[in-house]
Amino acid sequence: VLDIFLVTFLMLLGGGVASGLSGILLVTLAAASLVGQGRMVRFYAAVATLSVLLSQIYGTFAFDFDAAGILQAGVVSSAFFATAILARLLGQRVMFYEAMAKQGGEALDNWLRISQRIVERMPGGVLFLDREGYVTQSNPVARAMLGLSDDSKGNLAQVAPDLSSAVLEWSRGEGLDSVLLDGLNGFEISARFESTTSSDGETLVFLEDLGRIKDQAQQLKLASLGRLTASIAHEIRNPLAAISHAGELLREEPPGEIQERLLRILKDNVARLDRIVREVLELGRQDRVRPESLALWEQCQGFCENFVATEGLPDGVLALSGEHAARLCFDRAHWYQVMANLVGNAARYASRQPGAIQVSIVKAAEGRTELHIRDDGPGIDDKIRDQIFEPFFTTAHSGTGLGLYIARELCFANGAALDLLADGGGAHFVISGRSDCQQAEMSGVRRVN
């Protein structure tokens, strides 16, 4: 307000509105409106308007100012209100964007802190490399693996030349996305590379301690073995009880028909126990894998002939079709065990009509081969589809419930997969594995010694 009165007094001395000093008031009102609040902005414009109009009227009567200056003063006064209102709107918008920028900055800072904490707490190592191969950021696990200092800086070529060479080859498009590093600072490391979209062109390197992964796998294996042992104890208890009870009755019965029936009970339960023990021992040998490239057509043809002869199936019940040149990387003994389980299940539920059991060999994409086993039986109920691969789950009174479980475990040990497809009709199992043993061994990972 003091500024308004001072400028108005100078305008009066300079000849009123004609002096051109009203522009100073526009600047003053604009500055006051930027920092003003609410109705004070309009109050400043009203004070300036009254001050200019009154001074102009006073000058017209006291100093013979031009009467037209009163109209000019009115126009300038309207400019006062327009300037004040526009400046206030601009100020509000600036304050709004300032608040948004502050809020966004706080959110970004929070996300950076969270991301930093996540990276630091990751069980694996993480490295950020610039274009020159220098480590710009790393987490404690990566620093421990590579022997970096706590400041996370350093030339990767100096601390891990093998890893640096692998990253360089990958960046040129000549190497794989993953490598295995033996004996790096006492760690057996698996390294995986990924590019980023940052403007600096940084590279992400994920490091995994294979020793820790093997320990975890061993712990899971021991836990599974414990559950399997408990299941075995439960399954063996029933036939043992039957054998014990039949033996007690056998001692009390004279030779005759009842004794023969008790002897059959003993024989059946002993055979069941023997089958359980044999299948569990087979499961324990899954680590002894000797994969070889099998010519599937010859293998399936020989298996089908032996199976038909052994089971006494009519001719044409078991049909073989598909690719004659297809190959599958699999342990020969394991493959025969898996096929015996799958085709045996199919023969148990299929009809005796020609083509009741179909064995098809299919070449799939990405160097893989599929072996399909179908039957025309009643199929598998949707309610139990998720349970058929569980150990000791069976719907047959004479079964052990280990056949499909062992078949899937043996497939997994050979780098293959066993799945049950839901395509209607009878049961449809498929074995999918690598056709080339060299590809199965590499599996997309290169080892650096």
Side-chain angles (χ1 to χ4, degrees):
V1 173
L2 291 176
D3 290 341
I4 292 173
F5 288 156
L6 178 61
V7 173
T8 305
F9 179 71
L10 294 176
M11 289 175 59
L12 184 61
L13 296 178
V17 178
S19 64
L21 295 176
S22 58
I24 300 177
L25 281 179
L26 292 175
V27 177
T28 302
L29 287 174
S33 300
L34 288 174
V35 298
Q37 297 293 332
R39 291 179 295 179
M40 293 301 296
V41 174
R42 295 188 294 274
F43 171 74
Y44 297 147
V47 171
T49 299
L50 291 175
S51 178
V52 170
L53 286 175
L54 291 176
S55 65
Q56 187 67 29
I57 294 173
Y58 176 76
T60 302
F61 290 101
F63 303 107
D64 294 330
F65 290 170
D66 187 3
I70 298 177
L71 179 61
Q72 186 178 358
V75 174
V76 172
S77 298
S78 62
F80 291 160
F81 278 96
T83 301
I85 293 173
L86 291 176
R88 179 55 188 160
L89 293 176
L90 178 62
Q92 288 178 341
R93 180 158 296 188
V94 170
M95 291 173 64
F96 173 75
Y97 286 120
E98 180 183 4
M100 287 188 60
K102 183 179 180 181
Q103 184 178 1
E106 293 177 352
L108 179 60
D109 183 66
N110 292 334
W111 277 112
L112 289 176
R113 292 175 183 272
I114 294 173
S115 301
Q116 182 68 23
R117 181 59 59 89
I118 292 174
V119 171
E120 290 178 355
R121 299 297 183 184
M122 286 181 64
V126 180
L127 291 176
F128 293 85
L129 304 179
D130 59 14
R131 288 190 176 93
E132 286 72 28
Y134 282 86
V135 180
T136 59
Q137 190 176 356
S138 62
N139 66 343
V141 178
R143 292 196 291 270
M145 289 181 179
L146 303 180
L148 293 173
S149 58
D150 292 339
D151 58 4
S152 305
K153 305 296 181 181
N155 189 350
L156 187 63
Q158 296 178 355
V159 295
D162 293 336
L163 179 59
S164 178
S165 300
V167 174
L168 184 60
E169 291 180 8
W170 170 79
S171 62
R172 294 174 178 172
E174 301 173 356
L176 299 175
D177 294 341
S178 301
V179 296
L180 300 180
L181 305 170
D182 290 331
L184 186 60
N185 291 328
F187 293 93
E188 186 179 2
I189 296 176
S190 170
R192 181 168 54 88
F193 316 127
E194 288 189 10
S195 59
T196 63
T197 56
S198 64
S199 58
D200 296 334
E202 291 180 319
T203 300
L204 269 175
V205 180
F206 296 96
L207 305 177
E208 288 289 344
D209 182 9
L210 296 183
R212 182 181 60 84
I213 296 176
K214 291 178 180 178
D215 291 340
Q216 291 179 348
Q218 183 67 17
Q219 292 175 0
L220 292 175
K221 185 176 181 180
L222 291 176
S224 300
L225 183 60
R227 292 192 295 269
L228 182 61
T229 303
S231 301
I232 291 174
H234 176 72
E235 290 295 322
I236 289 179
R237 186 182 297 114
N238 293 332
L240 280 179
I243 291 172
S244 177
H245 183 64
E248 293 293 333
L249 295 176
L250 188 61
R251 287 192 301 179
E252 300 175 0
E253 292 292 334
E257 182 179 351
I258 296 179
Q259 191 179 53
E260 292 180 1
R261 184 168 63 85
L262 293 175
L263 287 173
R264 283 199 304 272
I265 293 175
L266 288 174
K267 183 180 178 181
D268 292 342
N269 283 278
V270 168
R272 184 182 178 190
L273 287 175
D274 179 69
R275 188 162 61 251
I276 291 175
V277 172
R278 186 172 62 251
E279 290 179 343
V280 170
L281 289 176
E282 194 68 35
L283 181 63
R285 299 190 186 102
Q286 62 176 316
D287 293 335
R288 306 173 190 175
V289 181
R290 297 180 180 87
E292 56 181 301
S293 182
L294 301 178
L296 269 188
W297 183 265
E298 289 79 3
Q299 292 294 322
C300 290
Q301 195 173 37
F303 172 83
C304 292
E305 292 175 357
N306 293 333
F307 187 85
V308 169
T310 303
E311 299 294 328
L313 297 176
D315 293 337
V317 172
L318 184 55
L320 176 64
S321 62
E323 299 286 343
H324 286 62
R327 307 187 74 85
L328 179 66
C329 181
F330 220 96
D331 184 285
R332 189 182 298 268
H334 289 174
W335 180 86
Y336 191 90
Q337 175 78 14
V338 172
M339 288 295 294
N341 283 326
L342 296 178
V343 179
N345 282 340
R348 187 178 301 115
Y349 296 101
S351 68
R352 298 287 172 141
Q353 301 299 321
I357 304 174
Q358 297 283 340
V359 178
S360 306
I361 304 171
V362 179
K363 281 188 176 181
E366 299 180 357
R368 299 186 70 84
T369 301
E370 293 181 352
L371 185 59
H372 297 257
I373 298 95
R374 300 182 179 89
D375 63 69
D376 62 351
I380 298 175
D381 193 347
D382 293 338
K383 297 179 180 179
I384 62 173
R385 292 182 69 88
D386 296 334
Q387 300 175 270
I388 61 170
F389 290 109
E390 295 180 1
F392 299 108
F393 176 81
T394 179
T395 57
H397 297 291
S398 60
T400 62
L402 287 174
L404 291 177
Y405 173 71
I406 292 176
R408 172 172 273 192
E409 290 295 315
L410 293 179
C411 287
F412 179 76
N414 285 270
L418 174 60
D419 296 297
L420 172 64
L421 302 185
D423 53 1
H428 182 185
F429 291 91
V430 57
I431 302 171
S432 175
R434 292 278 182 179
S435 57
D436 188 354
C437 285
Q438 185 177 3
Q439 291 179 352
E441 180 180 356
M442 295 296 291
S443 186
V445 178
R446 180 167 61 90
R447 179 176 293 276
V448 178
N449 295 318

